[in-house]
Amino acid sequence: MRQVIIIGSGPAGYTAAIYVARANLSPLVIASSVEAGGELMNTTDVENFPGFPEGIMGPDLMQRMREQAERFGAEVLLDDVTSLELSGDVKRVTVGSGETFQALAVIFATGSAYRKLGLPDEDRLSGHGVSWCATCDGFFFREKTIAVVGGGDSAMEEATFLTRFATKVYVIHRKDSLRASKIMQERAFNNPKIEFVWNSSVTALNGESNLESVGLIDTVTGETRTLDLDGLFIAIGNDPRTHLVHNQLALTSEGTVEVEGRSSRTSVTGVFAAGDVIDPTYRQAVTAAGSGTVAALDAEHYLSALPASLVASANSSS
Ligand code: NDP
């Protein structure tokens, strides 16, 4: 049995792992089989993580966090959690290989998942012109006409990045002003390859084997039209990844895991949560890292107050 299992390997999970490992609690980090490193693996330049004045590529930052955690004794497992049993003193975490791990404390840092438009052909055309990841798929759209949906920082970042490949990038946004930060807006406004399509929602994704066009509706006038496109990148935000803990942990009305005040304590004793899965508002790599720190410290305090016999059982078996 472990003292601490950390589920998730974004900035929250790895930062929690660094702290827990430095407290000599040898955490197991279950990092996912395909998405280890979290959302930043799909990002290019990260310019706002303190300590990197020149910026750092998202995957490089995550690799460094992982190495830092491993240096202090964290074990990283590239597998997916399939089920959790969180009640009771001993928590059970089962992964894709079928193996079940036990721990006295669990830190839940599963982040968030890309939001979908909810259109009928979205899944069918995913990977065939419809994408959620410019850094992964941008290369396939050399000299093409594409669009990005959304008005936040992600949409601006993706649109700007995609102008490296595409001839033309539309940004389709349902309002007439952006939610994105000023600096990201300016970059997009000043890019001659980007054209904004304001007050417009995507109503249909058309195409047989690949996306050929999208249906649009003007959110003010109700007018409809078709826009020919080779690709559509959806950047409309994320939803907290809570499917593993439905019916086990209390959730907020926003769908995030509920924690007590500024702590990471969830509704179940010995279970702590950190990062985007508890944060509907700030959702930055830096805030997630800070949140991972809080979870690690809370878990340490929790373990130090447990009966010695229980802690000894975690130390004596694997
Ligand atoms: P946001 O929630 O900030 O923005 C989502 C955008 O998508 C909004 O403009 C929203 O419209 C629109 N939207 C939401 N749902 C739909 C829908 N169903 N149909 C059409 N449009 C929709 O998400 P982001 O992913 O952009 O950013 C998340 C967080 O990550 C933010 O805190 C952001 O600052 C941060 N971030 C920072 C980056 C950086 O600094 N380099 C890069 C990327 C993200 P509306 O405005 O009408 O609500």
Side-chain angles (χ1 to χ4, degrees):
M1 183 164 59
R2 308 273 171 157
Q3 305 241 25
V4 183
I5 289 178
I6 296 164
I7 303 170
S9 56
Y14 278 148
T15 306
I18 292 166
Y19 273 77
V20 171
R22 288 190 79 254
N24 259 345
L25 295 170
S26 320
L28 173 66
V29 181
I30 303 179
S32 158
S33 59
V34 287
E35 292 180 327
E39 294 280 290
L40 282 183
M41 298 300 284
N42 298 326
T43 311
T44 49
D45 259 336
V46 179
E47 296 175 334
N48 51 13
F49 202 91
F52 298 95
E54 316 298 335
I56 180 166
M57 299 300 277
D60 292 345
L61 180 62
M62 297 322 298
Q63 180 59 27
R64 284 169 180 243
M65 287 192 198
R66 175 177 172 170
E67 284 169 13
Q68 198 172 349
E70 287 177 328
R71 178 182 155 207
F72 297 111
E75 186 187 338
V76 176
L77 177 71
L78 299 179
D79 205 338
D80 305 300
V81 174
T82 52
S83 68
L84 288 170
E85 282 175 55
L86 298 175
S87 58
D89 286 338
V90 176
K91 321 295 179 193
R92 287 179 180 76
V93 181
T94 303
V95 297
S97 68
E99 196 171 351
T100 296
F101 298 93
Q102 299 187 3
L104 295 175
V106 165
I107 295 176
F108 193 69
T110 49
S112 54
Y114 296 128
R115 196 173 287 157
K116 293 183 174 184
L117 289 168
L119 295 172
D121 294 301
E122 204 164 349
D123 288 336
R124 181 177 65 81
L125 290 171
S126 165
H128 300 276
V130 175
S131 171
W132 283 262
C133 177
T135 44
C136 318
D137 299 331
F139 188 77
F140 302 119
F141 295 90
R142 278 183 185 281
E143 312 294 322
K144 304 277 188 199
T145 299
I146 59 181
V148 174
V149 194
D153 280 335
S154 298
M156 295 313 108
E157 184 176 73
E158 304 247 306
T160 305
F161 175 75
L162 287 165
T163 59
R164 294 187 196 182
F165 310 101
T167 323
K168 170 110 199 159
V169 179
Y170 293 101
V171 173
I172 302 169
H173 184 39
R174 60 188 179 183
K175 290 186 184 146
D176 64 358
S177 62
L178 300 169
R179 179 194 290 248
S181 57
K182 282 283 175 271
I183 186 167
M184 307 282 267
Q185 293 195 21
E186 287 306 321
R187 241 174 243 171
F189 287 147
N190 292 333
N191 191 313
K193 284 188 176 177
I194 297 178
E195 180 179 332
F196 282 81
V197 180
W198 299 110
N199 294 322
S200 297
S201 286
V202 179
T203 52
L205 304 170
N206 310 316
E208 284 303 317
S209 51
N210 280 298
L211 182 78
E212 289 162 18
S213 68
V214 298
L216 296 178
I217 185 164
D218 187 305
T219 53
V220 179
T221 64
E223 241 171 76
T224 58
R225 67 176 174 119
T226 301
L227 180 65
D228 289 342
L229 289 176
D230 302 303
L232 182 75
F233 287 80
I234 300 169
I236 59 171
N238 299 267
D239 291 311
R241 243 191 229 113
T242 54
H243 61 280
L244 288 167
V245 295
H246 283 169
N247 308 320
Q248 297 200 64
L249 300 182
L251 303 181
T252 66
S253 57
E254 277 151 321
T256 49
V257 171
E258 188 172 275
V259 290
E260 211 183 297
R262 296 182 63 211
S263 81
S264 65
R265 289 188 294 274
T266 69
S267 56
V268 173
T269 310
V271 180
F272 306 87
D276 281 7
V277 81
I278 65 166
D279 179 5
T281 315
Y282 302 105
R283 307 191 37 244
Q284 303 296 303
V286 183
T287 51
S291 169
T293 307
V294 170
L297 296 177
D298 285 344
E300 280 173 45
H301 289 149
Y302 170 74
L303 290 169
S304 65
L306 284 179
S309 56
L310 204 53
V311 177
S313 67
N315 289 332
S316 63
S317 53
S318 61

